[in-house]
Amino acid sequence: MQIVHKILVVEHDVEFGESVTKLLEKEGMTVAHVRKVSEAMPRLLSEDFDLVLSDLKLSGQTGLDLLRKIRASGLECPRVIMTHYTSIKCAVQALRLGAVDYLLKPFSDKYLIYAVTRAINEQSIQKENRQLKQDLQNVRHNSTEIIGESQSILELKSLLDRVGPSEATVLIQGESGTGKELVAMGIHEASQRYDGNFVPVNCGAIPAELMESEFFGHVKGAFTGAVSSKNGLIREAHGGTLFLDEISELAPMLQVKLLRFIQDRNVRPIGNSQSFHVDVRIIAASNRDLQKEVAAGRMREDLYYRLNVIQILVPPLRQRLDDIELLLNCFIKRYNLKLGRRICKVNDRLFEFLKEYDWPGNVRELENSVERAIILAKGEELDIDDFKHIKGNGANGAINSQGSETRHEPMPVEEYMKSIVQEYQHECSEMELAKMLGIGRKALWMRRNRWGLHRDKPKKVS
């Protein structure tokens, strides 16, 4: 469908104004012609125009006066000024007042069409860019928003509203994939530190020999390889929040140092005799039962009590199945934008199908499944077939051969990931497989080696 652009021509010379109007109308545009600023403004305020084409010299007020009034009214349509005068001062003034072009009379018909089309196209691109930025901001906001209206999630949100404004240390516990980091970010954004840094640290991803340097920093030359000074993660979070994910993975030596920091809030980088006071709020998280970790001697009891001032339990997805519809719609919007797809419909049967699954990987598994489904979807509707990879992987309410209802135990996440690779490795690329699992290609390659799963090499044609 062709878009018809609407142009307002403001020209005191009736003959010239009519010639411009006829020329633009021949190009398929809708054109209105007025002679004065006092006639132009009511039209602009009551109608939507894609462009204003105005002479500089008008009866009474000038084209510059029109530019001032348009800017004061907050109208966004582009403005092009026409004039016989070659004054650089006037041209600069017009551009400063919002004109997008300055045309010197006389000009050819071809050049006028070019200038008008360019101004409209540039305005359209700017409008699309603003909308895209807004969409991306919405995506970023949605990606940090806790989605759900189940009773457990409403209680969780209420707790965050009360805990956020305090300075208390918080311990978040829950299974992998439930959104513990999302909860931590919610606490940070609800606090007085919302404009400070939120520094997430995966304690399980840092090698033991590098932990002290990563957390507390070091000075140049403190050890082999220290070619420059480093502040450390704790000091990076100064004025904000330090989120210690998988806190149970901290090495014993680091547990002692972290406990001391929590007590006095002082950091001494490796190789430095000077200590630095750090103003930071600490939020820790773990998918393990930390009381059991303390009992087994893997975590210091005094550190556990220091961290466990306020404890928040994040419910697994299988305990909030009513939120699946909201989560599904949210992820569809997110990955439509990210992947450039237009999935606009969900089969009614799909919601019930997804609720029959135990979701051992929780919300993260659901998000990865939605991304995979959108990548591979053939049409604009998601159906049960797009989630066939979860069939038989621990669905609730499955019927056995005797017709009785059984409940399978949730499949471990590692086993679930292996089953995905086994089922789709011959029809998906490595990049697509990695996206499905929410990991990088190198991590996928390492898991393939561990599982003994390799692609069949193509046979040579003799």
Side-chain angles (χ1 to χ4, degrees):
M1 182 177 177
Q2 186 177 3
I3 298 175
V4 178
H5 296 295
K6 190 173 180 180
I7 314 295
L8 179 65
V9 175
V10 188
E11 171 61 60
H12 74 288
D13 186 324
V14 176
E15 184 178 347
F16 183 78
E18 288 180 352
S19 67
V20 169
T21 298
K22 290 178 181 178
L23 176 63
L24 296 178
E25 286 177 340
K26 283 183 181 180
E27 295 296 318
M29 302 179 188
T30 299
V31 185
H33 175 210
V34 297
R35 299 182 61 197
K36 301 177 180 180
V37 173
S38 59
E39 296 172 352
M41 285 309 299
R43 297 290 297 268
L44 288 170
L45 294 172
S46 61
E47 303 175 46
D48 291 327
F49 287 93
D50 297 301
L51 181 101
V52 177
L53 185 62
S54 174
D55 195 1
L56 182 63
K57 185 179 180 181
L58 299 171
S59 300
Q61 294 177 303
T62 67
L64 295 180
D65 294 320
L66 177 61
L67 292 178
R68 293 188 184 95
K69 288 180 178 293
I70 292 174
R71 187 172 67 173
S73 300
L75 297 172
E76 294 187 356
C77 57
R79 286 84 81 183
V80 174
I81 292 292
M82 305 178 293
T83 182
H84 282 291
Y85 304 101
T86 57
S87 168
I88 295 177
K89 182 178 179 181
C90 280
V92 171
Q93 193 173 2
L95 295 174
R96 285 178 176 174
L97 289 171
V100 297
D101 208 344
Y102 192 86
L103 308 182
L104 290 176
K105 297 178 181 178
F107 41 72
S108 66
D109 293 351
K110 185 176 180 180
Y111 184 75
L112 176 61
I113 297 300
Y114 166 75
V116 168
T117 304
R118 182 181 63 180
I120 292 174
N121 289 341
E122 287 180 354
Q123 176 72 6
S124 177
I125 291 171
Q126 291 174 7
K127 187 175 181 180
E128 289 178 3
N129 286 341
R130 286 194 297 270
Q131 184 60 51
L132 180 58
K133 287 179 180 179
Q134 184 61 51
D135 290 342
L136 291 174
Q137 287 177 355
N138 292 338
V139 168
R140 283 194 289 267
H141 172 72
N142 291 337
S143 66
T144 60
E145 183 184 3
I146 299 173
I147 305 298
E149 295 180 356
S150 61
Q151 185 61 34
S152 58
I153 291 300
L154 292 178
E155 291 175 358
L156 176 62
K157 291 179 179 180
S158 176
L159 180 58
L160 297 190
D161 289 339
R162 300 195 303 274
V163 171
S166 74
E167 286 291 307
T169 302
V170 179
L171 176 62
I172 304 170
Q173 296 210 254
E175 298 176 9
S176 294
T178 51
K180 296 186 292 294
E181 183 170 344
L182 207 61
V183 171
M185 293 178 70
I187 295 172
H188 172 74
E189 291 177 358
S191 72
Q192 298 299 316
R193 300 173 177 269
Y194 67 92
D195 57 348
N197 290 336
F198 176 84
V199 180
V201 184
N202 187 336
C203 300
I206 305 175
E209 63 273 15
L210 297 179
M211 277 190 175
E212 183 175 3
S213 172
E214 288 294 316
F215 276 87
F216 296 93
H218 61 258
V219 298
K220 182 179 179 180
F223 51 83
T224 303
V227 296
S228 61
S229 297
K230 184 175 183 178
N231 283 337
L233 295 167
I234 294 177
R235 289 175 68 189
E236 283 183 17
H238 178 71
T241 302
L242 179 68
F243 175 54
L244 303 174
D245 198 10
E246 305 305 337
I247 187 69
S248 59
E249 301 294 333
L250 267 186
M253 180 265 293
L254 252 294
Q255 291 187 29
V256 175
K257 289 183 174 290
L258 179 61
L259 178 63
R260 186 180 302 120
F261 167 72
I262 293 173
Q263 291 171 340
D264 59 26
R265 289 298 197 270
N266 289 322
V267 169
R268 179 179 293 179
I270 298 174
N272 198 332
S273 59
Q274 181 182 359
S275 293
F276 300 89
H277 184 75
V278 181
D279 173 26
V280 67
R281 183 181 190 175
I282 295 177
I283 301 176
S286 178
N287 61 356
R288 299 183 184 178
D289 186 332
L290 293 187
Q291 287 184 318
K292 291 182 179 179
E293 294 297 301
V294 170
R298 290 186 290 268
M299 185 170 187
R300 292 182 61 95
E301 185 176 23
D302 46 5
L303 176 60
Y304 170 71
Y305 286 120
R306 280 284 184 178
L307 295 173
N308 193 26
V309 177
I310 295 177
Q311 185 176 109
I312 295 177
L313 300 177
V314 185
L317 184 54
R318 62 180 175 275
Q319 293 180 7
R320 43 179 291 222
L321 294 174
D322 289 341
D323 290 331
I324 282 183
E325 185 171 347
L326 284 173
L327 289 164
L328 183 65
N329 289 329
C330 173
F331 294 148
I332 289 174
K333 290 179 182 178
R334 181 179 303 174
Y335 288 103
N336 270 342
L337 183 62
K338 180 179 178 181
L339 302 172
R341 295 299 306 273
R342 292 186 179 275
I343 302 298
C344 56
K345 190 177 179 182
V346 176
N347 190 288
D348 292 337
R349 300 178 302 161
L350 180 58
F351 295 120
E352 292 305 317
F353 174 79
L354 296 178
K355 289 179 182 179
E356 292 174 353
Y357 181 54
D358 277 319
W359 297 106
N362 292 293
V363 178
R364 184 186 297 132
E365 182 186 352
L366 174 61
E367 182 175 0
N368 292 342
S369 296
V370 173
E371 183 179 12
R372 186 209 70 86
I374 290 177
I375 290 172
L376 301 180
K378 296 179 180 178
E380 296 184 350
E381 179 183 30
L382 291 186
D383 202 347
I384 291 175
D385 289 341
D386 296 310
F387 291 83
K388 62 182 181 180
H389 59 283
I390 69 172
K391 289 181 180 179
N393 290 348
N396 293 331
I399 307 299
N400 64 19
S401 58
Q402 285 73 37
S404 59
E405 189 177 270
T406 62
R407 179 181 177 88
H408 299 283
E409 289 299 316
M411 178 182 287
V413 174
E414 186 83 358
E415 188 178 341
Y416 161 75
M417 296 173 76
K418 181 179 177 181
S419 69
I420 294 294
V421 175
Q422 285 176 316
E423 184 169 356
Y424 292 100
Q425 64 178 337
H426 299 301
E427 59 183 271
C428 297
S429 67
E430 292 294 284
M431 182 65 73
E432 288 171 338
L433 280 173
K435 275 183 170 291
M436 289 183 204
L437 302 175
I439 59 178
R441 294 179 67 179
K442 184 177 180 181
L444 174 60
W445 177 80
M446 294 174 66
R447 281 180 166 83
R448 276 186 179 281
N449 286 340
R450 185 162 69 243
W451 298 329
L453 296 178
H454 304 284
R455 289 182 186 272
D456 296 332
K457 293 182 179 180
K459 296 180 180 179
K460 295 182 179 179
V461 179
S462 55

